[in-house]
Amino acid sequence: MEKEPLIKLAWRGHETIESIPPLLDDARQIEIILPTNYNHSLFCALHPDEPPAQLEEIDASGGPELLAVIATVKGLEEFIALARALATAHIEVQVVSPPSVIIKPIGHLNT
């Protein structure tokens, strides 16, 4: 069965988090679209040492541990459950502006 190239999900808290693990088998990447008001908080969580007047453009990549950093933002605490569920998964996590979280199984990074 051919995998979907991209599955987009709007942020709906716990409902969104629970839907992701089963979707990993069906998609080359999953994008969680967050409300735009999270950009500032995510930028501060991902770049705590940046000066206050910094342009808040986000482009951070990592493994499942990046989900735990996202979970430190008020309103995104549900991401800790996803961080735990995917702790040993072979995935890449990317956080970008406008605020989105992209999850890619490692086997499909270049496809």
Side-chain angles (χ1 to χ4, degrees), residues 5-28:
L6 172 64
I7 295 175
K8 290 187 176 193
L9 303 171
W11 175 244
R12 288 186 170 68
H14 186 71
E15 175 186 323
T16 303
I17 295 301
E18 282 192 339
S19 70
I20 292 170
L23 290 174
L24 286 173
D25 290 335
D26 299 329
R28 293 177 189 248

Side-chain angles (χ1 to χ4, degrees), residues 18-55:
E18 282 192 339
S19 70
I20 292 170
L23 290 174
L24 286 173
D25 290 335
D26 299 329
R28 293 177 189 248
Q29 65 182 31
I30 298 168
E31 181 178 9
I32 305 163
I33 301 163
L34 301 172
T36 56
N37 61 329
Y38 282 112
N39 200 75
H40 173 74
S41 298
L42 279 169
F43 183 85
C44 292
L46 295 166
H47 306 286
D49 298 326
E50 291 293 326
Q54 182 72 24
L55 176 65

